Amino acid sequence: RFAIPAAAMAPHVAVVTISDRASQGVYKDESGPRVCEVLKEYIATECEYELVCIPDEQKVIEDTLVSFAKGKGSALIVTTGGTGPAPRDVTPEAIEMVCHKLMPGFGEEMRRASLLEGVPTAILSRQTAGILFKSLVVTLPGKPAAVRTCLDAVFPAIPYCVDLIGGPRLEGNDQVVKVFRPKPKK
């Protein structure tokens, strides 16, 4: 048996749709596949993508996030759904329970971008982000139409954040999005 060196493995990116109805097959998950599609446009680095759909259950969300961060070593975990004010929307609570650090600026910027697009209900969304081991976890709303708006707003900072927490280097696709990294000191 030969082990593949960790440096040779493609970075793992997890997309987690959080929806009672989609997880039960009541309707087709559209937001998770949309997140994968947009991330594949933005990330030039060849990555392994994994999409799962789970119910709005805080413990299930927590366990899924920890499994991807600790078990799979995901560089980036993007959730979609469960960020609203309804009683079953518990994604932010799950993030707060498992993440070592919270990154509220991500949610602030996503809400700002949505408001600028004329979505007055953006203030009802509780998107956030956090650090879980060496994974960046970013929460998006559950509406497929909001995926690009929110990722456009925050993606330029995602690869550098992953660098800072010790994750693999993710290169952005310069044709689609401009990633920010500080210039090296001379």
Side-chain angles (χ1 to χ4, degrees):
R1 278 187 162 211
F2 293 98
I4 299 172
M9 295 174 57
H12 188 268
V13 175
V15 176
V16 182
T17 299
I18 299 166
S19 167
D20 285 332
R21 292 177 292 164
S23 69
Q24 295 166 356
V26 173
Y27 64 74
K28 184 179 174 188
D29 172 23
E30 293 181 6
S31 57
R34 180 74 176 135
V35 172
C36 287
E37 177 186 311
V38 172
L39 288 175
K40 287 175 182 179
E41 287 177 34
Y42 289 1
I43 301 173
T45 305
E46 187 173 322
C47 294
E48 176 190 345
Y49 291 86
E50 187 170 349
L51 170 63
V52 297
C53 185
I54 61 174
D56 288 286
E57 293 289 342
Q58 186 170 338
K59 180 75 168 114
V60 173
I61 298 166
E62 292 170 6
D63 291 347
T64 301
L65 296 175
V66 170
S67 173
F68 279 128
K70 194 173 185 181
K72 299 253 180 154
S74 301
L76 176 62
I77 303 168
V78 179
T79 71
T80 175
T83 60
R88 298 273 308 151
D89 291 333
V90 295
T91 301
E93 287 78 9
I95 297 292
E96 290 176 17
M97 287 299 295
V98 298
C99 285
H100 305 76
K101 292 183 180 181
L102 296 178
M103 307 292 290
F106 281 84
E108 294 162 6
E109 183 60 14
M110 288 186 277
R111 281 186 290 280
R112 186 194 66 77
S114 295
L115 285 166
L116 288 174
E117 281 203 354
V119 181
T121 55
I123 61 172
L124 301 178
S125 189
R126 300 179 304 131
Q127 300 110 288
T128 191
I131 308 302
L132 179 57
F133 301 106
K134 290 186 178 184
S135 302
L136 173 61
V137 182
V138 179
T139 65
L140 302 178
K143 294 196 181 323
V147 168
R148 187 172 296 276
T149 298
C150 291
L151 283 175
D152 278 350
V154 299
F155 190 82
I158 286 176
Y160 183 53
C161 184
V162 172
D163 291 349
L164 291 173
I165 62 175
R169 187 169 176 93
L170 298 177
E171 296 293 343
N173 177 352
D174 289 337
Q175 305 291 326
V176 182
V177 65
K178 299 295 181 212
V179 167
F180 174 82
R181 281 192 171 96
K183 299 211 183 311
K185 294 180 181 178
K186 294 181 183 185

